[in-house]
Amino acid sequence: MKALPDHSALAHIVQRTPRNLELDRLRAIAVLLTCYVHWRQVFYPWTFTMQFAGPATPLDLLSNAWAGVDLFFVISGYIISRTIVSEFDALRADPGALAAHVKAFYVRRAFRILPVAWCVILIVVACGACLNAGGYFAGTTYNLQAALSIFTYTFNFWLPDHKIAPGVPLAQYWSLSVEEQFYLVFPLFLMLTRSTRQRALWLALTLLAVSVAIRPYLLADPLKVFFYTQTRCDGMLYGCLLYLATTRPWFAAIRVSARGNGYLGGAVVLVLALVLGSITAIGFDNVVAVPVVCMLSAALVFMAACEGGVVSFPQPLQWAFDCIGRRSYSLYLVHLPMFFLTNELMFRYTRAHEIAITARLWPQYTLLMVLLVAGATELLYRCVERPMIAKGRRVAADVIGAAQTALPKAA
């Protein structure tokens, strides 16, 4: 094992923070909500404007459950703050150590995010070029244009003006662009602010401006309101504010715990998750819906941040959530291409056997979809995501190790 740097402040950086499994379970809920809404849109008439006439059954309430993405945003804002803020402040007086910290942070993020993202892009480009008889995948030129905007973290700005039918296999990358833009700006924000109170004030003011001015008045196109960073960054801001709250002494007074209450906390979490998934289907405009889902998401992440066992469930449900939560990133990126691949393969099968595509094929569609999504997710998780995360940690440790040789050792 690589020795930790001698510089005491830098040594803390390469130590891994214990994983919060309760956040993993919320990731599972977020990705399942997202997969469900995409499943309804791909296997039923695709409407990229996400219009919803009204629920006919209880399950239809979840058919427009785009709020799973906002839950991801709040989790990301909380995690990014927990990862970088305290170390950033500890190294502020030492520019060399601070530069090494920021560099190591970006190295870990790059290895965490980019390998899986690029693999899925390659899958989509290959399918669009070689496996697109039914026209379910976009053409090669379109996919390459989308890939270029993804590489430059501008996909969420490009997508509203380039939506196509029957769908966009890379559509899920819009939220990744929002997060990456935030990761680029956040260290600069920390550099310009010095105290928790100052940061909380600026974050709250920004959140207020987004909610009452930018989203209601600056963009008229509903698609742009839905995808643009300036109108969908609320969740990240809530997550940052939540982390700052956990660092204050008074947070202990509001911390919640499930001790002695069995799975009551888990039941509350599931109820809130159902409300979160269905609130977007009752007709609210995004001006109202986005703040509501972000506040509900923040409440869920607050429960997990307390690390008091609130987000806990009976087995085997908890095992399933833990398993899905660990794979949520790979699942989030690959599920939509696998949905389209299911349609493509079934199109080829039915055409070859002169079978009409009707509701009677629902079992075949479902089985193939589950196999493709589960198989692709597991392959990406085991062969790409986990190895690259480990590689990123090693490279980040090398960055810190190289920096500490040029810094005076702690007494």
Side-chain angles (χ1 to χ4, degrees), residues 116 119-120 123 319-335 338 369-388:
V116 173
C119 284
V120 175
I123 291 172
W319 173 86
F321 278 157
D322 288 344
C323 183
I324 295 171
R326 287 192 297 270
R327 293 159 175 79
S328 59
Y329 178 61
S330 290
L331 174 56
Y332 178 75
L333 289 186
V334 83
H335 77 277
M338 291 303 104
M369 176 201 69
V370 170
L371 290 175
L372 287 175
V373 172
T377 298
E378 193 66 17
L379 281 173
L380 283 172
Y381 176 69
R382 292 187 178 274
C383 299
V384 181
E385 184 177 350
R386 286 204 310 184
M388 289 297 100

Side-chain angles (χ1 to χ4, degrees), residues 7-13 83-99 101 190 193-194 199 243:
H7 192 282
S8 60
L10 283 175
H12 178 66
I13 295 173
T83 301
I84 195 175
V85 170
S86 60
E87 287 82 0
F88 197 100
D89 289 340
L91 299 174
R92 184 183 292 275
D94 191 336
L98 180 59
H101 171 46
L190 295 179
T193 55
R194 292 181 173 271
R199 288 167 182 161
Y243 168 77

Side-chain angles (χ1 to χ4, degrees), residues 229-251:
T229 304
Q230 61 266 37
T231 51
R232 287 307 298 276
C233 63
D234 310 44
M236 305 287 287
L237 299 176
Y238 274 109
C240 294
L241 283 168
L242 180 58
Y243 168 77
L244 294 179
T246 65
T247 66
R248 311 314 297 166
W250 50 262
F251 184 76

Side-chain angles (χ1 to χ4, degrees), residues 55-389:
T57 70
L59 280 179
D60 285 340
L61 283 170
L62 299 175
S63 297
N64 203 30
W66 49 258
V69 173
D70 293 274
L71 179 53
F72 270 129
F73 283 161
V74 178
I75 294 171
S76 294
Y78 175 78
I79 292 292
I80 187 75
S81 300
R82 192 178 70 167
T83 301
I84 195 175
V85 170
S86 60
E87 287 82 0
F88 197 100
D89 289 340
L91 299 174
R92 184 183 292 275
D94 191 336
L98 180 59
H101 171 46
V102 174
K103 184 177 180 181
F105 164 76
Y106 283 123
V107 165
R108 291 194 302 271
R109 296 314 302 170
F111 278 90
R112 172 71 178 87
I113 292 172
L114 299 182
V116 173
W118 290 350
C119 284
V120 175
I121 290 172
L122 288 175
I123 291 172
V124 169
V125 172
C127 288
C130 307
L131 202 63
N132 200 21
Y136 294 102
F137 289 93
T140 301
T141 300
Y142 179 91
N143 287 329
L144 290 176
Q145 290 175 331
L148 287 173
S149 65
I150 291 169
F151 290 152
T152 56
Y153 307 137
T154 56
F155 184 64
N156 63 310
F157 294 109
W158 179 86
L159 182 59
D161 293 322
H162 298 84
K163 60 185 182 295
I164 60 172
V168 182
L170 295 172
Q172 68 278 18
Y173 279 79
W174 77 269
S175 62
L176 197 62
S177 292
V178 173
E179 290 193 16
E180 291 304 298
Q181 293 160 20
F182 191 85
Y183 293 154
L184 291 175
V185 171
F186 194 59
L188 178 62
F189 169 74
L190 295 179
M191 190 176 299
L192 296 175
T193 55
R194 292 181 173 271
S195 68
T196 298
R197 178 174 297 180
Q198 187 180 23
R199 288 167 182 161
L201 176 62
W202 279 110
L203 289 171
L205 289 175
T206 304
L207 188 58
L208 184 65
V210 169
S211 299
V212 304
I214 297 175
R215 187 164 40 242
Y217 300 113
L218 294 190
L219 291 174
D221 186 342
L223 274 181
K224 293 180 179 179
V225 171
F226 189 87
F227 289 115
Y228 276 17
T229 304
Q230 61 266 37
T231 51
R232 287 307 298 276
C233 63
D234 310 44
M236 305 287 287
L237 299 176
Y238 274 109
C240 294
L241 283 168
L242 180 58
Y243 168 77
L244 294 179
T246 65
T247 66
R248 311 314 297 166
W250 50 262
F251 184 76
I254 63 171
R255 187 185 298 270
V256 295
S257 173
R259 284 191 293 271
N261 295 310
Y263 295 113
L264 177 61
V268 172
V269 168
L270 290 179
V271 169
L272 286 179
L274 289 173
V275 174
L276 178 69
S278 58
I279 194 70
T280 52
I282 63 177
F284 285 137
D285 186 89
N286 285 342
V287 172
V288 176
V290 173
V292 171
V293 300
C294 285
M295 286 186 281
L296 286 170
S297 298
L300 288 167
V301 177
F302 163 76
M303 295 177 187
C306 292
E307 299 188 56
V310 175
V311 189
S312 299
F313 308 94
Q315 299 294 355
L317 182 60
Q318 180 154 297
W319 173 86
F321 278 157
D322 288 344
C323 183
I324 295 171
R326 287 192 297 270
R327 293 159 175 79
S328 59
Y329 178 61
S330 290
L331 174 56
Y332 178 75
L333 289 186
V334 83
H335 77 277
L336 198 50
M338 291 303 104
F339 287 176
F340 284 110
L341 184 57
T342 299
N343 278 338
E344 172 66 23
L345 294 178
M346 288 301 296
F347 171 81
R348 289 169 177 257
Y349 171 78
T350 54
R351 186 176 62 172
H353 294 82
E354 298 182 349
I355 300 173
I357 299 178
T358 67
R360 290 180 297 177
L361 293 176
W362 180 86
Q364 292 92 321
Y365 269 88
T366 302
L367 177 61
L368 181 59
M369 176 201 69
V370 170
L371 290 175
L372 287 175
V373 172
T377 298
E378 193 66 17
L379 281 173
L380 283 172
Y381 176 69
R382 292 187 178 274
C383 299
V384 181
E385 184 177 350
R386 286 204 310 184
M388 289 297 100
I389 289 175

